[in-house]
Amino acid sequence: EQHQIIKELDGYTEIILGAKKVANNYIPTIKCECSSVFSIEDIAEIKPSKVEISDIPNGTLVSFVPMASLNTFNAEFSVNEERKIEDVKSGFTYFRDNDILLAKITPCFENGKAGIARNLKNGIGFGSTEYIVIRANTDIVYPEWIFYHINTPEFINGGKSHMTGTAGQQRIDINYVKQYQIPVPSLKEQRTILDRIDAEKKLIASSKELIRIFEKKISDKINDIWNN
């Protein structure tokens, strides 16, 4: 009976380890043979001006996104906090829906902290002063296209030699971000590649669900043994 229980638990563990290997090692990659190459500052606005929101009345609720809300190597993040616009507009970084947030301070930059703002209260957000905000020119490029190019080991490793400031408080030079070049095919080709990445991410989500299910199976089995 012990042998059968151990065999069962070992089977669950192998499934978990396999799913973790898939989930933990996946980073979206873009392979694109394209002759059109642009620097980011040519296809996006860097650090949009707060002048855009100068006529929004005090008392308007907006989203607030602290650095802790951003994930690593994942465009999605939860937006849970709201504040009145007068309480945040003078001391925090401004952004809107579909803007890309890039952590500029060490170690957040090196850890791949970045995201795309979505579902903001009234379409407006504020957050850490340690964000670089990138607003894609959507006539040319999808926000996700830029995100997947700057949220890669290649971009991050290249940026390590463009850090400024003292140890422990170093920040990525914004000119490195502005001048970083990426291939930009047609919007149609971008969409095709981004749809493939979305399909891959669904498989990764399935792997994470497998981990949850089989970790619970192990827990339930051990509880049954102790209760019997």
Side-chain angles (χ1 to χ4, degrees), residues 8-157:
E8 180 181 350
L9 294 178
D10 283 348
Y12 294 162
T13 300
E14 286 183 13
I15 292 171
I16 291 169
L17 291 175
K20 282 185 175 180
K21 187 173 182 179
V22 172
N24 294 339
N25 292 314
Y26 175 75
I27 296 178
T29 57
I30 292 178
K31 293 182 179 180
C32 170
E33 295 182 2
C34 175
S35 59
S36 298
V37 178
F38 293 87
S39 61
I40 289 177
E41 65 179 346
D42 291 332
I43 56 174
E45 181 181 2
I46 310 294
K47 194 180 176 181
S49 173
K50 292 179 183 177
V51 171
E52 298 177 349
I53 54 171
S54 58
D55 60 344
I56 294 180
N58 288 339
T60 301
L61 289 175
V62 298
S63 292
F64 186 79
V65 181
M67 182 68 74
S69 293
L70 293 190
N71 295 308
T72 58
F73 298 105
N74 187 347
E76 299 175 3
F77 59 89
S78 298
V79 180
N80 300 317
E81 189 174 344
E82 296 176 2
R83 298 188 185 182
K84 293 180 180 179
I85 195 168
E86 65 266 28
D87 295 333
V88 292
K89 66 180 177 181
S90 64
F92 295 95
T93 300
Y94 155 69
F95 47 90
R96 283 185 177 273
D97 274 334
N98 298 314
D99 285 350
I100 302 159
L101 308 181
L102 172 66
K104 62 183 178 182
I105 192 168
T106 189
C108 297
F109 173 79
E110 295 94 321
N111 291 341
K113 278 218 168 213
I116 301 177
R118 296 271 160 78
N119 302 313
L120 301 174
K121 183 70 174 181
N122 291 311
I124 298 171
F126 284 83
S128 171
T129 56
E130 302 296 350
Y131 293 149
I132 293 175
V133 179
I134 303 170
R135 180 173 296 169
N137 179 349
T138 52
D139 290 334
I140 302 173
V141 65
Y142 287 101
E144 292 88 350
W145 188 262
I146 296 177
F147 174 85
Y148 287 131
H149 278 91
I150 66 170
N151 198 229
T152 62
E154 291 79 8
F155 174 81
I156 292 169
N157 290 334

